[in-house]
Short mmCIF file of all heavy atoms in Angstrom, two decimals:
data_model
loop_
_atom_site.label_atom_id
_atom_site.label_comp_id
_atom_site.label_asym_id
_atom_site.label_seq_id
_atom_site.Cartn_x
_atom_site.Cartn_y
_atom_site.Cartn_z
N GLN A 149 -22.00 -4.31 6.62
CA GLN A 149 -21.10 -5.16 5.83
C GLN A 149 -21.76 -5.61 4.55
O GLN A 149 -22.97 -5.82 4.52
CB GLN A 149 -20.70 -6.39 6.64
CG GLN A 149 -19.80 -6.04 7.82
CD GLN A 149 -19.34 -7.25 8.58
OE1 GLN A 149 -19.86 -8.36 8.41
NE2 GLN A 149 -18.36 -7.05 9.44
N ARG A 150 -20.94 -5.74 3.51
CA ARG A 150 -21.46 -6.27 2.25
C ARG A 150 -21.20 -7.78 2.27
O ARG A 150 -20.05 -8.20 2.29
CB ARG A 150 -20.76 -5.63 1.06
CG ARG A 150 -21.47 -5.90 -0.27
CD ARG A 150 -20.67 -5.36 -1.43
NE ARG A 150 -20.74 -3.91 -1.55
CZ ARG A 150 -21.35 -3.28 -2.56
NH1 ARG A 150 -21.93 -3.97 -3.52
NH2 ARG A 150 -21.35 -1.97 -2.62
N VAL A 151 -22.28 -8.56 2.32
CA VAL A 151 -22.11 -10.00 2.50
C VAL A 151 -22.26 -10.77 1.20
O VAL A 151 -21.95 -11.95 1.13
CB VAL A 151 -23.09 -10.55 3.56
CG1 VAL A 151 -22.67 -10.12 4.95
CG2 VAL A 151 -24.52 -10.13 3.28
N VAL A 152 -22.78 -10.13 0.17
CA VAL A 152 -22.95 -10.81 -1.11
C VAL A 152 -22.06 -10.12 -2.13
O VAL A 152 -22.04 -8.89 -2.23
CB VAL A 152 -24.43 -10.79 -1.57
CG1 VAL A 152 -24.59 -11.43 -2.95
CG2 VAL A 152 -25.31 -11.47 -0.55
N TRP A 153 -21.33 -10.93 -2.86
CA TRP A 153 -20.47 -10.40 -3.91
C TRP A 153 -21.34 -9.97 -5.09
O TRP A 153 -22.12 -10.76 -5.61
CB TRP A 153 -19.50 -11.50 -4.35
CG TRP A 153 -18.68 -11.12 -5.54
CD1 TRP A 153 -19.03 -11.25 -6.86
CD2 TRP A 153 -17.39 -10.52 -5.53
NE1 TRP A 153 -18.04 -10.76 -7.66
CE2 TRP A 153 -17.01 -10.30 -6.87
CE3 TRP A 153 -16.52 -10.14 -4.50
CZ2 TRP A 153 -15.80 -9.74 -7.22
CZ3 TRP A 153 -15.30 -9.58 -4.86
CH2 TRP A 153 -14.95 -9.38 -6.19
N THR A 154 -21.25 -8.70 -5.47
CA THR A 154 -22.00 -8.25 -6.64
C THR A 154 -21.02 -7.78 -7.71
O THR A 154 -20.12 -7.00 -7.42
CB THR A 154 -22.96 -7.09 -6.28
OG1 THR A 154 -22.25 -6.14 -5.50
CG2 THR A 154 -24.17 -7.58 -5.51
N ASP A 155 -21.23 -8.28 -8.91
CA ASP A 155 -20.36 -7.87 -10.01
C ASP A 155 -20.64 -6.42 -10.37
O ASP A 155 -21.60 -5.83 -9.89
CB ASP A 155 -20.60 -8.79 -11.22
CG ASP A 155 -19.93 -10.14 -11.01
OD1 ASP A 155 -18.85 -10.15 -10.39
OD2 ASP A 155 -20.49 -11.15 -11.46
N SER A 156 -19.82 -5.89 -11.23
CA SER A 156 -20.02 -4.51 -11.69
C SER A 156 -21.43 -4.36 -12.23
O SER A 156 -21.95 -5.23 -12.93
CB SER A 156 -19.01 -4.19 -12.78
OG SER A 156 -19.38 -2.98 -13.38
N GLN A 157 -22.06 -3.23 -11.88
CA GLN A 157 -23.47 -3.05 -12.23
C GLN A 157 -23.67 -2.21 -13.49
O GLN A 157 -24.78 -1.94 -13.88
CB GLN A 157 -24.19 -2.36 -11.08
CG GLN A 157 -24.03 -3.09 -9.77
CD GLN A 157 -25.19 -2.83 -8.86
OE1 GLN A 157 -26.14 -3.61 -8.82
NE2 GLN A 157 -25.15 -1.73 -8.16
N THR A 158 -22.55 -1.80 -14.07
CA THR A 158 -22.66 -0.81 -15.15
C THR A 158 -23.50 -1.30 -16.34
O THR A 158 -24.09 -0.49 -17.04
CB THR A 158 -21.26 -0.37 -15.65
OG1 THR A 158 -20.47 -1.53 -15.80
CG2 THR A 158 -20.61 0.60 -14.68
N LYS A 159 -23.53 -2.64 -16.54
CA LYS A 159 -24.28 -3.13 -17.70
C LYS A 159 -25.71 -3.54 -17.35
O LYS A 159 -26.47 -3.99 -18.20
CB LYS A 159 -23.52 -4.30 -18.35
CG LYS A 159 -22.24 -3.84 -19.05
CD LYS A 159 -21.69 -4.94 -19.95
CE LYS A 159 -20.44 -4.47 -20.67
NZ LYS A 159 -19.28 -4.27 -19.76
N LEU A 160 -26.08 -3.39 -16.09
CA LEU A 160 -27.41 -3.82 -15.66
C LEU A 160 -28.43 -2.69 -15.75
O LEU A 160 -28.10 -1.53 -15.53
CB LEU A 160 -27.37 -4.32 -14.22
CG LEU A 160 -26.55 -5.58 -13.93
CD1 LEU A 160 -26.51 -5.84 -12.43
CD2 LEU A 160 -27.13 -6.79 -14.65
N ASP A 161 -29.69 -3.06 -16.04
CA ASP A 161 -30.75 -2.05 -16.00
C ASP A 161 -31.19 -1.88 -14.54
O ASP A 161 -30.66 -2.52 -13.63
CB ASP A 161 -31.93 -2.44 -16.91
CG ASP A 161 -32.58 -3.75 -16.48
OD1 ASP A 161 -32.27 -4.24 -15.38
OD2 ASP A 161 -33.40 -4.28 -17.25
N ILE A 162 -32.17 -1.01 -14.32
CA ILE A 162 -32.57 -0.67 -12.96
C ILE A 162 -33.05 -1.89 -12.18
O ILE A 162 -32.66 -2.12 -11.04
CB ILE A 162 -33.61 0.45 -12.96
CG1 ILE A 162 -32.91 1.76 -13.34
CG2 ILE A 162 -34.29 0.61 -11.61
CD1 ILE A 162 -33.82 2.85 -13.80
N GLU A 163 -33.90 -2.73 -12.82
CA GLU A 163 -34.40 -3.93 -12.14
C GLU A 163 -33.24 -4.87 -11.79
O GLU A 163 -33.20 -5.45 -10.70
CB GLU A 163 -35.45 -4.65 -12.99
CG GLU A 163 -36.88 -4.55 -12.50
CD GLU A 163 -37.02 -4.42 -10.97
OE1 GLU A 163 -36.83 -5.44 -10.28
OE2 GLU A 163 -37.31 -3.33 -10.45
#
Side-chain angles (χ1 to χ4, degrees):
Q149 291 183 347
R150 193 185 285 248
V151 288
V152 177
W153 173 274
T154 47
D155 284 326
S156 169
Q157 304 207 95
T158 45
K159 290 193 178 68
L160 295 174
D161 61 11
I162 287 162
E163 252 329 286

